């Protein structure tokens, strides 16, 4: 990605904007142009729920330099409250305490920044829900 | 078998270099060294077309169009030169382009293979580089790396089939055992299972010995038809069948996450073209970029049922002296995984086996072998079935 593409994707990144199939209701994030369940191309933009639970996760220890300051971090397969599955990076979490079924919520965080232009890139990460 | 008026496509020569860290060489020089070995053993140095598989030279060395530079260095003129990129399956896809080229009648003698100069990058840039076949949105905005899908699939697999992780990691023990005798392999020493299990985590529960090293290498094949190979007095191996397919790129949107669907479809096509089934195979080279990838590949190409491959690997049936040897020179884990060259190495190893030129790694009576190569975690897969004359 470059500064330009980071800017282009900013809204779907900040607000978790995906697409929903108007025919069968499947939801995808990030956006895609065709539904892989029913084949329909009739998709509408939709804002995804901001809460879900961890289905599986791994702890990433060999990582790109733009994420050095988060080393090591967890990437989880998350099922959102509407059943949509996505990948999300976890934050504010003790890596030893992550578990399948753990409730998580979206939070806007700084991802990385560009040295020369100074542009800072924000995006959604997921943190444990402390109390219900 | 693939039938054409032009004859049967064959692989009539190979040239590989040992997989090492070549600090003093660039990507084109590595390719030249491998081609020189091929020229030396075949006596042929003129080609109608060259296909060069490579994944990351545009990213590492910022060198594009390797095939053209290679053609120039080799002194070739009026040659069809094309770069082929399909992640760590690039080398295998380059070979398929050559086969299709020969089958079409456009070219008669074709050079195809792959090259990768992985050590030109610092580790953190390398980790992003080898993740670049994944959706860049996920790589840059979520922190996805090439290992995440493998790690999550491993956990799902263990949970679903109640498999002992040690049985999966045992594949790296088998790989090292085979590589210890192979001159061109990177890790030429055996390891103990305990060492592998207790190595540092890289993407939990994957540890260092579950993943393959991204090192430097180059491997090239000579593709032509049986008639032309005979004309030049070259020993050859027939391409009995091939297949290829793609999978959902987003792992979390796959309907069956513990099946490598592209590998499954690719192998089914290849078996159909070859008119054989798994029971007729004498050896298999699988793309074990991680141990779990290798286990799932064995199941997906139909050698074992879902959830059972690891137990068979542990039992010894896939050792070099077993019923159905796999990764006869150490696979990706121990022979090494020079990304865009990896698939070409696997094919060259298959050719060595069938021609009886595998030295200390020779599988007894190796007549038919299956080669699997894939891009990432089955983003795409390609399968060849090779056979002796
Ligand atoms: Zn649909």
């Amino acid at each position: 990605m470059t500064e330009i593409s980071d800017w282009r994707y900013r809204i779907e990144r900040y607000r978790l904007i995906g697409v929903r199939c108007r025919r069968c209701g499947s939801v995808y994030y990030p956006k895609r142009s065709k539904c892989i369940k029913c084949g329909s191309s009739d998709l509408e933009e939709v804002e995804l729920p901001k809460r879900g639970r961890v289905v599986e996760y791994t702890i990433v220890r060999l990582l790109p330099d733009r994420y050095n300051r988060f080393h090591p971090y967890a990437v989880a397969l998350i099922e959102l409250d509407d059943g949509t599955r996505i990948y999300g990076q976890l934050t504010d979490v003790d890596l030893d305490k992550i578990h399948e079924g753990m409730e998580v919520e979206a939070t806007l965080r700084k991802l990385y920044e560009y040295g020369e232009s100074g542009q800072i890139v924000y995006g959604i990460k997921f943190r444990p829900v402390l109390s219900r | 078998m693939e039938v054409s008026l032009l004859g049967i496509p064959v692989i009539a020569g190979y040239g590989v270099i040992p997989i090492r860290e070549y600090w003093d060489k660039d990507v084109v020089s590595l390719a030249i060294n491998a081609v020189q070995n091929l020229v030396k053993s075949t006596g042929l140095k003129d080609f109608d077309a060259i296909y060069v598989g490579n994944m990351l030279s545009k990213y590492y060395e910022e060198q594009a169009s390797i095939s053209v530079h290679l053609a120039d260095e080799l002194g070739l003129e009026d040659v069809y030169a094309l770069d082929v990129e399909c992640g760590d399956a690039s080398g295998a896809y380059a070979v398929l382009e050559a086969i299709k080229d020969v089958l079409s009648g456009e070219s008669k003698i074709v050079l195809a293979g792959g090259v990768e100069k992985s050590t030109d990058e610092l580790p953190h840039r390398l980790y992003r580089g080898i993740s670049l076949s994944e959706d860049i949105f996920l790589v840059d905005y979520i922190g996805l790396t090439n290992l995440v899908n493998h790690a999550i699939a491993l956990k799902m697999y263990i949970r679903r089939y109640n498999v002992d992780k040690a049985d999966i990691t045992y594949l790296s023990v088998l790989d090292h055992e085979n590589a210890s005798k192979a001159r061109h392999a990177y890790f030429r020493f055996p390891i103990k299972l305990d060492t592998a299990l207790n190595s540092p985590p890289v993407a939990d529960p994957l540890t260092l010995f579950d993943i393959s090293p991204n090192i430097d290498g180059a491997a090239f094949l000579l593709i032509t038809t049986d008639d032309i190979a005979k004309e030049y007095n070259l020993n050859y191996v027939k391409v009995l069948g091939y297949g290829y397919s793609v999978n959902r790129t987003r792992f979390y949107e796959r309907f069956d996450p513990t099946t490598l669907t592209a590998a499954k479809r690719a192998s089914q096509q290849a078996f159909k073209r070859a008119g054989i089934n798994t029971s007729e195979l004498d050896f298999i080279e699988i793309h074990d970029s991680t141990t779990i990838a290798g286990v799932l590949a064995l199941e997906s190409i139909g050698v074992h049922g879902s959830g059972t491959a690891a137990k068979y690997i542990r039992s010894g049936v896939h050792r070099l002296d077993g019923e159905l040897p796999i990764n006869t020179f150490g696979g990706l884990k121990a022979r090494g995984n020079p990304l865009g060259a990896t698939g070409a190495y696997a094919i060259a190893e298959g050719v060595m086996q069938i021609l009886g030129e595998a030295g200390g790694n020779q599988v007894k009576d190796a007549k038919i072998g299956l080669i699997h190569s894939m891009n990432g975690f089955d983003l795409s897969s390609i399968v060849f079935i090779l056979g002796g004359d």
Side-chain angles (χ1 to χ4, degrees):
Chain A
M1 294 288 181
T2 64
E3 282 99 324
I4 306 295
S5 46
D6 287 335
W7 172 82
R8 183 164 59 242
Y9 293 125
R10 70 199 183 285
I11 303 299
E12 54 189 288
R13 212 169 57 233
Y14 298 162
R15 290 173 49 204
L16 278 187
I17 306 287
V19 287
R20 177 192 286 127
C21 174
R22 281 203 174 96
R23 193 200 283 171
C24 78
S26 298
V27 177
Y28 303 101
Y29 181 82
K31 295 176 200 171
R32 54 163 65 249
S33 49
K34 197 167 178 177
C35 177
I36 57 170
K37 275 234 171 79
C38 76
S40 170
S41 299
D42 188 11
L43 305 172
E44 59 182 341
E45 284 193 6
V46 61
E47 189 163 337
L48 271 61
K50 301 297 183 296
R51 283 171 76 136
R53 59 182 187 87
V54 170
V55 178
E56 287 288 2
Y57 71 98
T58 182
I59 296 166
V60 177
R61 298 171 192 276
L62 307 180
L63 44 93
D65 39 13
R66 63 178 60 192
Y67 281 122
N68 267 350
R69 65 196 195 94
F70 303 115
H71 179 278
Y73 58 81
V75 168
L77 198 170
I78 295 167
E79 189 168 294
L80 298 174
D81 282 352
D82 66 348
T84 304
R85 288 189 166 203
I86 64 170
Y87 266 160
Q89 188 177 133
L90 303 186
T91 187
D92 301 349
V93 64
D94 183 344
L95 293 180
D96 297 329
K97 299 225 168 81
I98 304 169
H99 57 90
E100 283 79 19
M102 187 172 79
E103 305 260 346
V104 291
E105 62 186 5
T107 174
L108 192 69
R109 290 303 166 99
K110 179 177 164 180
L111 300 180
Y112 51 86
E113 60 185 279
Y114 290 93
E116 270 174 48
S117 68
Q119 182 172 318
I120 299 173
V121 178
Y122 295 91
I124 293 285
K125 294 189 182 184
F126 286 83
R127 67 182 174 200
V129 176
L130 296 177
S131 56
R132 295 194 60 112
Chain B
M1 194 180 299
E2 203 64 20
V3 181
S4 156
L5 291 174
L6 305 150
I8 298 164
V10 302
I11 302 174
Y14 56 85
V16 304
I17 59 169
I19 295 176
R20 301 285 187 268
E21 297 164 26
Y22 292 100
W23 302 108
D24 57 342
K25 290 201 165 140
D26 62 26
V27 65
V28 176
S29 312
L30 289 188
I32 289 170
N33 288 163
V35 174
Q36 282 168 341
N37 289 340
L38 181 146
V39 169
K40 213 181 294 169
S41 62
T42 60
L44 290 181
K45 54 182 193 310
D46 210 5
F47 311 102
D48 301 315
I50 63 174
Y51 295 91
V52 182
N54 172 267
M55 181 176 179
L56 290 172
S57 75
K58 283 205 266 304
Y59 177 71
Y60 289 162
E61 302 189 295
E62 302 189 335
Q63 177 66 67
S65 305
I66 298 177
S67 60
V68 178
H69 293 281
L70 181 61
D72 183 50
E73 291 279 349
L74 293 172
L76 299 171
E77 289 167 15
D78 294 333
V79 65
Y80 182 74
L82 184 70
D83 285 34
V84 177
E85 190 276 306
C86 202
D88 43 343
S90 299
Y93 274 86
V95 171
L96 182 55
E97 286 311 298
I99 292 167
K100 292 198 290 189
D101 193 343
V102 163
L103 279 171
S104 78
E106 178 71 19
S107 297
K108 288 188 163 60
I109 299 176
V110 182
L111 179 70
V115 59
E116 201 74 49
K117 187 70 189 61
S118 311
T119 58
D120 267 22
E121 264 313 333
L122 297 170
H124 287 287
R125 217 170 123 74
L126 172 67
Y127 300 142
R128 183 159 183 271
I130 55 183
S131 305
L132 286 181
S133 288
E134 300 290 341
D135 186 339
I136 196 66
F137 189 101
L138 304 179
V139 174
D140 278 357
Y141 300 149
I142 289 162
L144 182 75
T145 66
N146 63 312
L147 295 177
V148 167
N149 297 339
H150 295 254
I152 290 182
L154 171 58
K155 290 174 94 172
M156 288 177 158
Y157 182 80
I158 287 175
R159 194 188 296 267
R160 183 167 175 190
Y161 297 109
N162 195 25
V163 177
D164 186 355
K165 199 227 162 205
D167 288 350
I168 297 164
T169 298
Y170 184 78
L171 179 54
S172 73
V173 177
L174 180 148
D175 278 353
H176 273 258
E177 186 176 293
N178 291 350
S180 63
K181 294 166 247 174
R183 208 183 67 82
H184 67 263
Y186 183 62
F187 289 130
R188 282 150 293 150
F189 55 86
I191 55 160
K192 291 199 163 67
L193 180 58
D194 271 351
T195 312
L197 290 172
N198 296 320
S199 59
V202 291
D204 316 36
L206 291 170
T207 70
L208 192 59
F209 279 68
D210 285 306
I211 70 170
S212 51
N214 302 124
I215 311 296
D216 305 335
F220 282 84
L221 291 309
L222 182 87
I223 289 93
T224 183
T225 60
D226 54 343
D227 293 339
I228 295 171
K230 280 177 198 155
E231 207 179 299
Y232 286 95
N233 271 321
L234 296 170
N235 291 328
Y236 61 84
V237 161
K238 292 179 190 164
V239 180
L240 301 179
Y242 59 81
Y244 45 82
S245 193
V246 293
N247 201 340
R248 302 281 173 219
T249 63
R250 299 174 191 168
F251 177 78
Y252 54 89
E253 289 177 357
R254 289 184 183 177
F255 301 131
D256 184 359
T258 55
T259 296
L260 305 179
T261 304
K264 185 176 174 176
R265 292 192 201 123
S267 60
Q268 286 169 348
Q269 292 168 29
F271 281 122
K272 194 171 167 203
R273 279 198 171 94
I276 66 159
N277 58 52
T278 53
S279 69
E280 289 167 77
L281 298 175
D282 299 313
F283 68 94
I284 299 172
E285 301 295 334
I286 46 169
H287 188 98
D288 61 333
S289 43
T290 63
T291 49
I292 182 64
V295 166
L296 295 181
L298 264 189
E299 294 177 1
S300 302
I301 63 177
V303 174
H304 297 300
S306 299
T308 68
K311 278 204 183 67
Y312 282 104
I313 294 170
R314 186 79 187 266
S315 77
V317 300
H318 293 307
R319 291 173 47 156
L320 212 49
D321 57 359
E323 236 169 86
L324 180 56
I326 62 172
N327 295 358
T328 60
F329 289 82
L332 276 63
K333 169 66 189 82
R335 171 244 286 137
N337 179 11
L339 303 169
T342 293
Y345 273 96
I347 295 166
E349 289 163 350
V351 173
M352 293 179 208
Q353 288 294 354
I354 295 168
L355 293 181
E357 297 174 3
N361 295 73
Q362 186 63 50
V363 171
K364 241 198 220 161
D365 302 324
K367 289 191 181 67
I368 299 180
L370 181 147
I371 319 295
H372 165 240
S373 189
M374 71 177 175
N375 178 2
F377 191 69
D378 199 45
L379 296 173
S380 56
S381 265
I382 181 164
V383 165
F384 296 92
I385 296 174
L386 306 180
D389 205 10

